[in-house]
Amino acid sequence: MVGYSADDYLRFSADKETIYYSEPVYACEDAYVLPTNDNSEQWGVRSDGHWTYVNCLMYSFPPQGWKIHITSTIYDAQNVLYDVAEYLFVKSISFKYLSSRTCFIQANGKYADRLESGKFITIYPSSEHIFIQLLKDLKTIVCKYDDGPYILTDKQWQNSNVFFRYGALKPRFSNEKNVPVIVTPQGDLIPDKELPLYSLPSFVDEPIYVKENNYFIEYSNGKLTDYQIDSAVHFSNNGGVYLASRNGKKYILKEGRKNVGVSDRSCLDAFHRIKHEYQILRSLSPLSDVVNAVDCFDVWNHAFLVEDFFEGRDLQQYIAMEFPFDGSSARTDCSDSYWRGCKEIATKLESAIAKMHGIGFAVGDLSLSNVLINDSLEIKLIDFEAAKKLSQDFQVDIATPGFTNDAVCNYEQQDWYAFAVIVHRLFVPICPLYYLAPSLLFCQDYMVQKHFGNEAVSFLRSVRSRMLGLTPLLSHGPFIDKALQACDKLLDPENIETFMRLLYKGIDNARFFAHFRISGLT
């Protein structure tokens, strides 16, 4: 049985011709195309939507051994696949590849799995001798193409787009834990460790030819040696975010890797977004509410942005730690202190955004995680990868789900919509589903009033009123044609029977509708 992700289910549900969660049709407009194969009857081709598997039916390969990965830029991917597949067809070597341009972007995106990123084509040699020959031949085939992403789990072959590692070639899992395993010479099952670094099982050694003939580019750490890395703050496929120090002062170092963290629209990678962010921050340096950029430099395939350190926490952490979840009725001192703090934060954030817009820039991807506050409730805006000039043509390149709206038309509106969501989330710390069902605002405003009092809900409504003049606050969701209706009553012991009856009716209607869709009667 194929396991599907949340993204898969959203994609399936967008298909108006089938019921939700039906088996998907994998053909897509941006699918990569294989070359013509004169012996196609000797090959089995199947896809799970993300990978396309091309298996030679004449020859098998072992359950574990050396495997080869081919990396590529998004621009070269189709040509690389064509050239490599043409060679593998002649040599009767099984392989798999990312099925489409969309899958390529997903596999190399900012929050893609670092262990899988960069692996465009995976090749399964049937022996060590064939493995060595493939290294030689494949390097010759792909040497004319630009460098693709560096694959963290593998070793690079002669500075090319060819990488390799030892591991499982066929799925095998331990009985106790659902983790991939390989077998030792003694017959023991051990995890097929995939770390973000190249490593070998204790019983495996690289072939002598590989040891004697591989070589690497020598590079200098340059300015990176000026800083002491004290700890890692965050990791993503883009690269790390590190707390560093120099001459007794703290800094933040943001890393951007080449050809990874690829964005959906512009296909700009993390390396170049770091450089873009540095230029934006230099333009915003007069603003005290924006983090100060100190330097930007390259180390091999990595760009590093150096920022002044701000002692604080982001708004997501602030809500989690400070929201008075236990103050369910009366306005306690804690509740009163919390909402007045939120009012101060919102006022300062609104002023910071207005000042940015005043000098012609927008954050572009404003969310809870890129607004920092300290104990004095001073704010600092960070993370300007997606920042743009207001004069640029509008295009949502990077966005945080829930903080963007398909009805906005420019970067100014985008920032104000995100601001409205942030303020609402400070008072109602749940996903802002009111954009799907506007009548939910009635219930949520009531809860704010009950929790924090009339003054708090008046402030929240005043923010919403101002934002209505700056940005569209409501829009339809991506998979519905009109706004949904929400119950205008609050759940309590007196009306629980009504809620249960309506819930049952909704489930029964959905089941009835699904039955007719399956039967082909609609």
Side-chain angles (χ1 to χ4, degrees), residues 48-69:
D48 62 13
H50 187 71
W51 291 105
T52 295
Y53 303 84
V54 186
N55 294 313
C56 179
L57 305 178
M58 304 296 291
Y59 303 98
S60 183
F61 52 88
Q64 66 190 55
W66 293 100
K67 66 173 76 174
I68 294 174
H69 292 112

Side-chain angles (χ1 to χ4, degrees), residues 23 33 140 142-143 211 264 298 314 341 345 354 438 457 482 513:
E23 283 296 319
V33 179
T140 301
V142 301
C143 66
K211 286 183 175 181
D264 291 358
D298 298 351
D314 65 39
I345 292 167
V457 78
K482 61 182 179 180
F513 178 68

Side-chain angles (χ1 to χ4, degrees), residues 34-43 82 85-86 89-90:
L34 290 169
T36 302
N37 180 10
D38 294 334
N39 299 309
S40 57
E41 70 280 357
Q42 297 179 8
W43 294 83
Y82 194 96
E86 196 170 48
F89 282 147
V90 172

Side-chain angles (χ1 to χ4, degrees), residues 231-251:
S231 62
V233 178
H234 174 68
F235 281 115
S236 73
N237 195 34
N238 273 7
V241 178
Y242 307 96
L243 177 62
S245 56
R246 179 185 181 186
N247 299 328
K249 186 177 179 181
K250 292 182 179 180
Y251 297 93

Side-chain angles (χ1 to χ4, degrees), residues 86 192 196 403 520:
E86 196 170 48
D192 181 15
F403 294 85

Side-chain angles (χ1 to χ4, degrees), residues 278-287 359 361 389:
Y278 176 69
Q279 294 302 323
I280 291 289
L281 289 175
R282 297 309 299 161
S283 299
L284 298 176
S285 59
L287 304 183
I359 60 175
F361 291 89
K389 291 182 178 179

